[in-house]
Amino acid sequence: MNLVEALLKADEKKVTEIPTEKMEIKRLSKLVGGPFIIEVGGVSNKRVSEITDACTVTKRHGKTETNTYQVNMMLMVEGIKTKFGDKELLKKYGCATVKELYEKIFNVGETTLIVQKISDLSGVNKEEQEEEIEAVKN
């Protein structure tokens, strides 16, 4: 069976599904008095590209610069599947957007872990990709 035949026989939903996982933010679990578990998921190729483009500016002499902080915040907005857009919640924390809320409630370490999990679920795990490439080479 060739690859085209294999894809034709495969379940399209399973092949194109973007995975999700739950993760606990332990510091916030302690502060709220119960499990603070969020669901995160991968972000599509197209959306990652759009986010990166939106956070990249062209400087003098054609040199480009990407604002990594803004990329991370936008990846969190796209990748956190738990809904935090409640108007009362945003008002309580003095935020106009979910992005502003994330900036307030998650510290730098938590942000790093969340973005890493979103990246992994999006298929951006370099170590896994390198292992797969090596397996194909051998």
Side-chain angles (χ1 to χ4, degrees), residues 20-41 79-84 102 105-106 110 114 117:
T20 62
E21 271 186 35
K22 294 182 186 311
M23 64 185 296
E24 181 177 9
I25 308 301
K26 292 181 181 182
R27 177 187 64 88
L28 292 173
S29 290
K30 289 177 187 173
L31 291 173
V32 301
F36 192 96
I37 297 172
I38 60 172
E39 183 176 18
V40 296
I80 295 176
K81 304 305 180 189
T82 306
K83 301 299 178 205
F84 286 100
Y102 294 164
I105 67 170
F106 297 122
E110 294 158 350
I114 293 166
K117 180 57 74 179

Side-chain angles (χ1 to χ4, degrees), residues 3 11 13 29 50 68 81 85 87 94 96 105 118 123-124 136:
L3 294 178
D11 181 343
K13 287 183 182 179
S29 290
E50 291 169 349
T68 306
K81 304 305 180 189
K87 289 180 183 181
I105 67 170
I118 291 167
V124 184
V136 171

Side-chain angles (χ1 to χ4, degrees), residues 51 68-78 99-100 102-103 106 111 115:
I51 290 169
T68 306
Y69 175 79
Q70 289 302 324
V71 169
N72 288 344
M73 286 295 114
M74 293 308 299
L75 283 174
M76 288 176 60
V77 168
E78 293 292 323
K99 179 178 160 270
E100 288 178 19
Y102 294 164
E103 291 172 330
F106 297 122
T111 297
V115 170

Side-chain angles (χ1 to χ4, degrees), residues 9-137:
K9 287 184 178 183
D11 181 343
E12 178 187 353
K13 287 183 182 179
K14 287 182 181 177
V15 171
T16 60
E17 178 181 65
I18 295 178
T20 62
E21 271 186 35
K22 294 182 186 311
M23 64 185 296
E24 181 177 9
I25 308 301
K26 292 181 181 182
R27 177 187 64 88
L28 292 173
S29 290
K30 289 177 187 173
L31 291 173
V32 301
F36 192 96
I37 297 172
I38 60 172
E39 183 176 18
V40 296
V43 179
S44 72
N45 290 336
K46 181 179 180 183
R47 189 65 186 128
V48 170
S49 181
E50 291 169 349
I51 290 169
T52 304
D53 288 348
C55 298
T56 302
V57 294
T58 302
K59 300 276 187 167
R60 295 174 95 185
H61 308 295
K63 190 173 186 178
T64 60
E65 187 175 291
T66 302
N67 184 328
T68 306
Y69 175 79
Q70 289 302 324
V71 169
N72 288 344
M73 286 295 114
M74 293 308 299
L75 283 174
M76 288 176 60
V77 168
E78 293 292 323
I80 295 176
K81 304 305 180 189
T82 306
K83 301 299 178 205
F84 286 100
D86 181 83
K87 289 180 183 181
E88 283 185 55
L89 177 64
L90 294 174
K91 184 178 178 183
K92 176 178 176 143
Y93 285 87
C95 301
T97 65
V98 172
K99 179 178 160 270
E100 288 178 19
L101 180 67
Y102 294 164
E103 291 172 330
K104 282 192 173 185
I105 67 170
F106 297 122
N107 66 32
V108 68
E110 294 158 350
T111 297
T112 300
L113 290 173
I114 293 166
V115 170
Q116 184 59 57
K117 180 57 74 179
I118 291 167
S119 295
D120 289 348
L121 293 168
S122 301
V124 184
N125 187 324
K126 277 188 168 183
E127 286 180 19
E128 270 183 30
Q129 288 175 348
E130 288 171 2
E131 288 173 11
E132 289 176 15
I133 291 168
E134 279 301 312
V136 171
K137 285 181 183 177

